[in-house]
Amino acid sequence: MTTAQERQPEQHSFEADVSRLLHMMVHSVYSDKDVFLRELVSNAADACEKLRYESISEPRLSADGVAPGILVALDEEAMTLVVEDNGIGMSRNEMIDALGTIARSGTRAFMDRLNAAKGGEKAELIGQFGVGFYSSFMVANKVDVISRRAGQDGAWRWSSDGKGSYEIVAVDPIEAPTRGTRVVLHLMEDAKKYTGKWTVEKIIRDQSGHVPFPVRLIEKAGAEPSQVTDGAALWTKSKTEISKQDYDDFYRGVSGQYDEPLMNVHFKAEGRHEYTTLAFIPGSQPFDLFDVERKGRMKLYVKRVFITDEADLLPRYLRFVRGIVDTSDLPLNISREMIQESPVLSAIRKGVTGRVLSALEKLAESEQENFYKFWELFGAILKEGIYEDYERRSQLLKLARFRTTASGDATRSLAEYIGSMKEGQSSIYYISGSNLDQLNASPHLEGFRAKGIEVLLLTDSVDSFWPTNAGDFDEKSFKSITQGLTDLDEIAGADDSKNVPDAPHEVTAFIDFARDVLSQEVADVRVSSRLTDSAVCLVASEHGPDRQLEKILQGAGRLQSASKPILEVNAQSELVKGISSIAEATFREDAAWLLLDEARILDGDKPTDPRAFAGRQARLFKLAIGQPE
Ligand code: ADP
Ligand code: MG
């Protein structure tokens, strides 16, 4: 029973983020306002799924036996559009939480992107991703939500004009649905078309044709409802009965993304385990792709009842895949906690993972352009599997594509790389860093370029991790070209005259001197076999992390102190020869330090002591100009 106090309307302010989102909705430049309806129908369908799920353990919740469904009612005279469901409903507190705050992290990420986007892009983003309940305010100047939680007596009305606050009040149960939620949109003058039967029916068919509950339409006050969609689960139909349009619509419903999927994987597994999967590779990156939680969103159904979207149906490195798995091998009343440990589910997970990867392999073979698109969008995520999924490592390496010194703007596979390896080459060479231009300009590449040896250019942050424990691929190991000694001399090159001749005596003497002077900063100074143009570069020692990985680990506070790098000197460089020929002690010392700082700068770092660096440079300038010290 409601108390007198509860019958008094109570005013609440929206959370700041909601106000911002609402402001964007109300002033939306988005021309395709139809999307509000798909959001309301999708919420109604979610509510029906929740009811079905909760009724398994608490049958009294749907004891009336009325099948869950969705009703859309139009009233031209009253200028209202109503979306009503007989799903789970909301209690007073649930309304405050669900409709006054933004809980989903994806929505938050969406808002940040939306704020950063310019006019036209904003509109596109709203179209591409679901923006939820608040999109109602694109077409309505007032929204009432009347709801009764399944199994409860009391009912509540939430209303707002979308301008900063909402009101909540207890309503007479007679005025509320016996169970579920009624959303009443008081339409703006220019949204009158949403009271028209044909318009609304078409929108529902186009946008919500595959929600798993029937949708009925009442075209005007007093009319009988007619069925618009039947609520049959698409995945139970056979592939031949399903059009691309059907698949795309279903994808949009299940993912909350409104782009076009790159491809789908639809199959029914029979045998030891029975389950059906309908999974999609999205056509754009979901907003939560780089969340630290790295959660997937595949939905688990048991005998067509939605159970959870937190069952980890795919490994983390496939978290971009959207879709469903429906199985009859699990009990309906399985608790969400039990699911994680279920051996049935781990068998299903393995099966679905295998199917998704082999579908990607097929795509790579037969539709290279689409595969390229896929790789640009999700390659960085898939590569996480190379060090997380030992069993499928070589399969993932086969799928991987790389920019290389030979790829130009395209990408190459490891098979292609191996196909053009030089005689005597036993490793797959790579260099990693944060951007392509910097990598391309790296002095470490010089010797490899001179010999025409291809090097992978790795720029994703995950690239700093997997090559060190990727093991072998096709019996070739991965080798960082910024680490250890190169074996360039053993590899036949395009131009063998480039093989490094012995260093002149003066240069070795200077190198010995520099090793002494710089002993606090570097582990060694030695003649380089990888440089042809630059005077110097820094490399990491043979064992331990390469330079890039070391920097990342240090940045993340996971490495106490970096190991000292090795300074390599190009003994054939005229500059180095010239420097070595000068005997003056101050000059030699300045030169040693300046060469080290130059190598640091080429590596994207700073001189460790900027004042000393500036002082040495000034002394050198004075020498050049001929000014006295
Ligand atoms: P999302 O559906 O992605 O969670 P929305 O903005 O569409 O985001 O909805 C916010 C929340 O409001 C939902 O998560 C749900 O808790 C609640 N809600 C909205 N519509 C309904 C409904 N018809 N029945 C029950 N709860 C609803
Ligand atoms: Mg929603």
Side-chain angles (χ1 to χ4, degrees):
M1 275 290 100
T2 50
T3 64
Q5 194 191 1
E6 284 169 339
R7 262 172 264 130
Q8 205 59 31
E10 197 179 281
Q11 214 56 41
H12 293 257
S13 301
F14 284 116
E15 193 187 47
D17 274 339
V18 177
S19 291
R20 280 204 296 150
L21 185 58
L22 278 169
H23 185 85
M24 278 191 256
M25 285 302 144
V26 175
H27 299 94
S28 166
V29 287
Y30 192 54
S31 54
D32 187 9
K33 300 194 192 284
D34 297 357
V35 297
F36 81 89
L37 196 52
R38 77 184 179 202
E39 296 295 340
L40 295 182
V41 171
S42 128
N43 285 348
D46 288 350
C48 292
E49 289 196 315
K50 280 182 204 157
L51 176 74
R52 214 142 65 170
Y53 179 74
E54 288 192 18
S55 303
I56 296 166
S57 52
E58 233 180 310
R60 68 177 186 96
L61 292 184
S62 42
D64 60 8
V66 181
I70 301 161
L71 187 66
V72 177
L74 312 176
D75 189 332
E76 190 179 342
E77 233 155 89
M79 275 290 274
T80 56
L81 180 151
V82 176
V83 178
E84 181 166 332
D85 65 71
N86 55 1
I88 195 69
M90 282 178 278
S91 66
R92 180 177 182 279
N93 284 342
E94 283 170 333
M95 272 186 168
I96 293 174
D97 281 348
L99 307 180
T101 62
I102 295 180
R104 273 199 314 180
S105 66
T107 311
R108 245 170 238 292
F110 171 80
M111 301 253 310
D112 294 340
R113 283 251 302 258
L114 200 60
N115 270 335
K118 294 183 200 67
E121 292 166 7
K122 262 193 189 114
E124 230 168 81
L125 282 175
I126 295 177
Q128 220 169 67
F129 295 88
V131 282
F133 168 77
Y134 302 110
S135 61
S136 324
F137 290 98
M138 293 199 296
V139 297
N141 45 30
K142 181 166 180 270
V143 177
D144 297 324
V145 181
I146 300 139
S147 192
R148 188 197 320 239
R149 184 77 160 83
Q152 293 183 3
D153 292 330
W156 302 87
R157 183 176 66 230
W158 176 105
S159 357
S160 176
D161 59 5
K163 298 203 181 87
S165 69
Y166 60 90
E167 188 184 282
I168 202 155
V169 64
V171 291
D172 192 331
I174 296 285
E175 293 171 34
T178 42
R179 176 186 74 213
T181 303
R182 177 185 303 146
V183 180
V184 183
L185 306 192
H186 300 271
L187 297 167
M188 296 179 204
E189 206 46 54
D190 64 1
K192 190 167 196 269
K193 69 167 179 174
Y194 298 114
T195 58
K197 174 183 189 226
W198 299 113
T199 310
V200 172
E201 202 173 281
K202 180 167 181 348
I203 298 174
I204 295 173
R205 282 223 176 84
D206 288 353
Q207 295 184 348
S208 314
H210 296 288
V211 299
F213 297 90
V215 179
R216 293 177 306 150
L217 181 70
I218 296 178
E219 60 180 290
K220 59 180 182 222
E224 282 299 306
S226 61
Q227 182 154 306
V228 184
T229 71
D230 64 1
L234 186 74
W235 64 84
T236 58
K237 298 185 180 166
S238 87
K239 283 192 201 185
T240 50
E241 282 175 59
I242 306 175
S243 69
K244 173 170 172 357
Q245 190 60 44
D246 291 335
Y247 274 126
D248 288 2
D249 289 346
F250 180 81
Y251 159 77
R252 293 181 178 136
V254 79
S255 68
Q257 264 181 241
Y258 296 94
D259 51 359
E260 200 178 312
L262 276 185
M263 69 165 193
N264 72 59
V265 182
H266 184 188
F267 73 95
K268 193 170 163 79
E270 275 156 354
R272 213 150 70 81
H273 295 291
E274 265 181 37
Y275 58 93
T276 301
T277 290
L278 177 49
F280 297 85
I281 308 285
S284 59
Q285 292 186 337
F287 280 112
D288 54 5
L289 197 56
F290 294 99
D291 274 8
V292 280
E293 290 183 347
R294 307 199 296 142
K295 273 206 183 317
R297 295 209 174 278
M298 286 286 285
K299 297 186 175 188
L300 175 68
Y301 285 75
V302 172
K303 302 182 188 86
R304 293 196 46 206
V305 177
F306 172 69
I307 305 293
T308 175
D309 57 5
E310 304 206 338
D312 293 328
L313 284 163
L314 285 170
R316 300 261 192 262
Y317 63 86
L318 289 175
R319 62 184 173 277
F320 49 84
V321 177
R322 296 294 186 262
I324 64 98
V325 171
D326 188 0
T327 180
S328 46
D329 287 359
L330 287 170
L332 258 177
N333 59 358
I334 188 167
S335 78
R336 289 176 184 166
E337 293 70 37
M338 290 286 292
I339 284 174
Q340 298 307 332
E341 271 114 66
S342 150
V344 175
L345 208 75
S346 76
I348 291 179
R349 183 180 299 131
K350 229 172 143 170
V352 180
T353 305
R355 286 297 193 118
V356 169
L357 291 183
S358 56
L360 286 171
E361 278 166 358
K362 255 197 222 127
L363 190 72
E365 278 163 29
S366 57
E367 293 182 52
Q368 282 171 13
E369 196 151 313
N370 267 338
F371 185 77
Y372 180 73
K373 243 189 251 166
F374 158 77
W375 188 258
E376 290 293 296
L377 290 171
F378 304 117
I381 308 293
L382 200 74
K383 279 188 282 187
E384 294 170 7
I386 301 173
Y387 65 89
E388 285 184 349
D389 192 345
Y390 184 82
E391 264 177 65
R392 297 187 190 272
R393 196 179 59 192
S394 66
Q395 196 179 6
L396 292 169
L397 283 170
K398 250 185 231 151
L399 282 172
R401 295 291 181 274
F402 302 93
R403 305 239 172 220
T404 77
T405 46
S407 71
D409 286 338
T411 53
R412 308 240 300 158
S413 68
L414 289 178
E416 287 171 299
Y417 179 100
I418 289 174
S420 49
M421 272 172 53
K422 299 283 172 204
E423 205 186 309
Q425 179 179 352
S426 58
S427 304
I428 298 168
Y429 292 105
Y430 70 91
I431 180 168
S432 56
S434 45
N435 82 65
L436 210 56
D437 289 339
Q438 196 184 324
L439 286 187
N440 258 317
S442 164
H444 300 91
L445 284 170
E446 290 169 3
F448 293 85
R449 283 222 167 93
K451 288 202 155 215
I453 299 168
E454 187 172 5
V455 178
L456 309 180
L457 306 170
L458 307 179
T459 52
D460 290 319
S461 50
V462 32
D463 290 332
S464 303
F465 299 98
W466 66 261
T468 39
N469 49 35
D472 288 358
F473 179 77
D474 204 5
E475 292 170 21
K476 315 281 183 299
S477 62
F478 289 88
K479 190 161 167 40
S480 164
I481 64 161
T482 65
Q483 180 169 31
L485 291 166
T486 60
D487 38 15
L488 280 181
D489 287 352
E490 287 149 35
I491 303 172
D495 177 3
D496 276 318
S497 66
K498 290 253 167 67
N499 274 351
V500 189
D502 286 344
H505 168 72
E506 278 172 347
V507 175
T508 40
F510 176 73
I511 285 177
D512 290 341
F513 169 81
R515 187 182 302 119
D516 245 21
V517 171
L518 304 175
S519 63
Q520 290 295 311
E521 303 286 322
V522 298
D524 193 11
V525 181
R526 70 185 179 206
V527 174
S528 179
S529 63
R530 73 190 93 212
L531 297 174
T532 60
D533 302 320
S534 303
V536 285
C537 71
L538 284 171
V539 302
S541 62
E542 190 78 40
H543 306 288
D546 89 329
R547 302 260 309 138
Q548 176 69 9
L549 178 55
E550 191 167 74
K551 279 185 218 172
I552 288 180
L553 292 176
Q554 244 185 332
R558 285 175 43 199
L559 206 62
Q560 284 308 308
S561 61
S563 56
K564 288 184 201 168
I566 294 162
L567 181 66
E568 286 198 353
V569 177
N570 178 357
Q572 305 308 318
S573 140
E574 292 307 321
L575 178 73
V576 170
K577 286 184 193 164
I579 290 170
S580 305
S581 71
I582 294 175
E584 208 271 313
T586 316
F587 173 84
R588 281 170 86 83
E589 192 173 330
D590 281 350
W593 281 103
L594 284 171
L595 286 173
L596 172 60
D597 282 336
E598 180 184 323
R600 283 181 174 139
I601 292 167
L602 284 168
D603 243 17
D605 292 338
K606 291 185 193 130
T608 31
D609 184 346
R611 277 182 70 92
F613 170 79
R616 291 187 188 108
Q617 200 178 49
R619 274 200 292 278
L620 220 59
F621 283 157
K622 281 180 187 162
L623 267 180
I625 310 164
Q627 269 180 21
E629 285 267 330

